[in-house]
Amino acid sequence: MSAMTQNLADKRVLVRVDFNLPLEDGHVQDDTRIRDATETIQRLLQANAKIILLSHISDESNGSNVGSFQPIIPTIEKVLNKKIVFIPSLDSADAVIEMAPAGSIILLDNLRLYPGEEQCDISFAKRLAQLGDFYINEAFSASHRNHASLVHLPRMLPHALGIAFRREITIIDQFLHHGSSPKMAIVGGRKLSTKVYLLKKLITKVDKLALGGGIAGAFLSFFGNTNFSVFEQKDYVEEVINIINTAKSCGCKLIIPVDFSALVSNSDHMDHAIISSDNRCASIFDIGPESVKLFMQHIDESRMVLWNGPVGLFEKTPFNFGTEQLALHIAQATREKRIESIVGGGDTVYAMNRFGVANDITHLSTGGGAFLTYIQDESLPGLSAVLEDETRIF
Ligand code: 3PG
């Protein structure tokens, strides 16, 4: 234990975590974000601090932000292997924290129950600051948000970055600036609109950029596949031209799929077929086997691979093929130490878990929006706030 953490004995440490976990019918589908925060929490327990966890949870299944942590406390207790003292409302927070002995883990209910959190209200942050003596941000995946607990709190209390947060940015920085070449990025996902800035950044940093999903479609007509008008995302034609030209001038090779897995209309029904680029009646849902081979060859020639966005509709057979084959291949190359792999984004990480390779990837990011924002901007509102006058304790 460092002298710095030792100084936190008996101190109230506010730890902003991101326990916004994927839920289905109220059940936690993936506890990675809790496991990720464990090292920081354990270190604070060893230092005999009083730990007060702050987090939001956005219950997207019912389209609201007002879910409670109450039903998922057993999952948090199981992962942390310790009882949680739960604070259902800020009104009772001071008394509960006062009563709890050092070495307790206390959890305040959903920060988004208070409008001041998302409004980035300074008085709400001041109220939270009264609960602690020290602040730690261990919520990489939420730190792209300009919210009170992320940007105001660190300016009100002595503060530090959490261990997992620093690990996240260190590996992304390494990929962008210092990692071994050749570097490859694979970007998929449905909509080009959400990835334009990511692509613009990556072409200046990688040797090869492979495109899958709906995003690849936007590029096809520029590579001679004129029949893919269905995919031409007209609002982005200029952006696509700009990306292609910049890639050329930066020496970044764009890798575009050469075949697809699709449903093809056949009089009154649809049949699954592998098609090349000349079928007008097809609905495309995945990249085809030749494209998978092509992507794999480039992976094998690379030293670092960063992946964001599935290349097809991987939840539905047979359209899982492209994403699954690439996941298995990247996992194997990583296991054999031929590449270092970084995978980020909610759907892509979910795919790694689904195909059983999550543990083989060098770094699986907890971030979705934060992962994209950090690659694009190399900063996050919640990170900049903590790095100002940080007290390094880990
Ligand atoms: C996430 O799951 O990406 C973070 O927890 C941020 O959640 P939000 O999109 O509801 O702000």
Side-chain angles (χ1 to χ4, degrees):
M1 198 192 321
S2 75
M4 284 313 293
T5 41
Q6 222 156 7
N7 288 344
L8 295 176
D10 286 325
K11 293 279 189 300
R12 300 166 304 160
V13 181
L14 300 179
V15 185
R16 178 48 161 110
V17 288
D18 184 0
F19 288 175
N20 183 25
L21 310 176
L23 302 176
E24 218 171 281
D25 299 326
H27 298 288
V28 174
Q29 299 301 298
D30 179 18
D31 61 11
T32 309
R33 286 179 174 176
I34 312 175
R35 284 187 279 113
D36 233 52
T38 306
E39 200 177 342
T40 289
I41 293 171
Q42 290 302 337
R43 294 278 290 275
L44 294 171
L45 284 176
Q46 284 162 14
N48 210 27
K50 204 183 271 190
I51 302 163
I52 300 133
L53 301 176
L54 305 175
S55 178
H56 72 285
I57 183 160
S58 42
D59 186 357
E60 281 166 14
S61 56
N62 67 19
S64 81
N65 271 331
V66 291
S68 167
F69 277 115
Q70 186 100 54
I72 66 168
I73 288 177
T75 308
I76 302 173
E77 289 181 333
K78 194 166 160 214
V79 178
L80 297 181
N81 196 21
K82 194 163 165 72
K83 277 269 167 234
I84 296 288
V85 180
F86 182 59
I87 312 180
S89 153
L90 255 179
D91 298 337
S92 55
D94 306 82
V96 176
I97 294 170
E98 172 73 34
M99 297 274 290
S104 303
I105 304 181
I106 302 159
L107 170 69
L108 176 68
D109 206 357
N110 188 2
L111 286 171
R112 293 190 185 171
L113 288 166
Y114 308 93
E117 169 66 356
E118 287 175 274
Q119 289 164 1
C120 203
D121 178 26
I122 202 138
S123 350
F124 176 64
K126 278 186 187 153
R127 175 69 190 101
L128 292 177
Q130 288 167 351
L131 306 177
D133 306 301
F134 197 89
Y135 169 91
I136 293 175
N137 185 338
E138 188 55 302
F140 167 77
S141 49
S143 289
H144 58 309
R145 301 290 183 210
N146 257 305
H147 291 171
S149 65
L150 294 158
V151 298
H152 289 319
L153 260 185
R155 295 184 168 116
M156 295 173 175
L157 293 171
H159 52 265
L161 203 59
I163 297 169
F165 197 143
R166 199 176 304 277
R167 196 181 301 131
E168 287 265 11
I169 57 169
T170 305
I171 188 135
I172 299 173
D173 287 347
Q174 194 206 349
F175 179 83
L176 294 177
H177 299 289
H178 318 290
S180 326
S181 290
K183 290 182 210 171
M184 175 177 179
I186 303 170
V187 179
R190 252 165 263 143
K191 286 200 209 133
L192 176 64
S193 55
T194 57
K195 304 280 169 85
V196 169
Y197 294 108
L198 177 73
L199 297 179
K200 282 184 164 176
K201 179 66 180 266
L202 285 173
I203 50 177
T204 65
K205 299 289 174 192
V206 301
D207 304 286
K208 302 151 185 240
L209 173 62
L211 301 173
I215 288 169
F219 284 75
L220 284 168
S221 53
F222 295 95
F223 285 82
N225 300 316
T226 46
N227 285 331
F228 277 87
S229 55
V230 61
F231 275 138
E232 273 172 27
Q233 300 183 33
K234 293 199 169 53
D235 296 347
Y236 289 94
V237 168
E238 298 237 321
E239 299 285 18
V240 170
I241 294 173
N242 181 282
I243 289 168
I244 293 171
N245 289 339
T246 315
K248 245 184 231 154
S249 61
C250 295
C252 168
K253 182 175 173 54
L254 288 181
I255 302 153
I256 310 292
V258 289
D259 62 347
F260 302 91
S261 175
L263 289 178
V264 180
S265 75
N266 215 333
S267 57
D268 61 341
H269 66 286
M270 304 288 275
D271 284 328
H272 174 241
I274 300 299
I275 59 166
S276 59
S277 55
D278 55 1
N279 192 323
R280 278 172 186 275
C281 316
S283 300
I284 289 168
F285 293 107
D286 193 13
I287 61 173
E290 288 305 315
S291 308
V292 169
K293 257 193 234 159
L294 177 70
F295 283 25
M296 284 178 178
Q297 272 164 18
H298 286 286
I299 291 167
D300 289 340
E301 289 166 8
S302 302
R303 299 286 307 280
M304 291 191 96
V305 176
L306 179 141
W307 185 6
N308 171 261
V311 293
L313 188 64
F314 70 93
E315 300 93 336
K316 288 225 180 330
T317 315
F319 305 116
N320 55 315
F321 180 80
T323 305
E324 180 164 6
Q325 292 303 305
L326 292 181
L328 298 178
H329 194 77
I330 288 173
Q332 185 176 354
T334 310
R335 275 196 309 270
E336 291 170 2
K337 304 213 179 316
R338 288 185 280 119
I339 61 167
E340 279 182 80
S341 50
I342 302 172
V343 176
D347 288 345
T348 329
V349 170
Y350 174 53
M352 296 300 124
N353 282 308
R354 192 179 167 114
F355 301 134
V357 296
N359 291 335
D360 295 318
I361 304 303
T362 313
H363 180 71
L364 215 55
S365 176
T366 53
F371 181 73
L372 298 186
T373 309
Y374 189 73
I375 294 173
Q376 285 158 205
D377 301 344
E378 297 187 47
S379 78
L380 298 168
L383 174 64
S384 316
V386 164
L387 293 183
E388 285 167 24
D389 297 326
E390 185 192 2
T391 308
R392 283 287 291 258
I393 56 167
F394 300 118

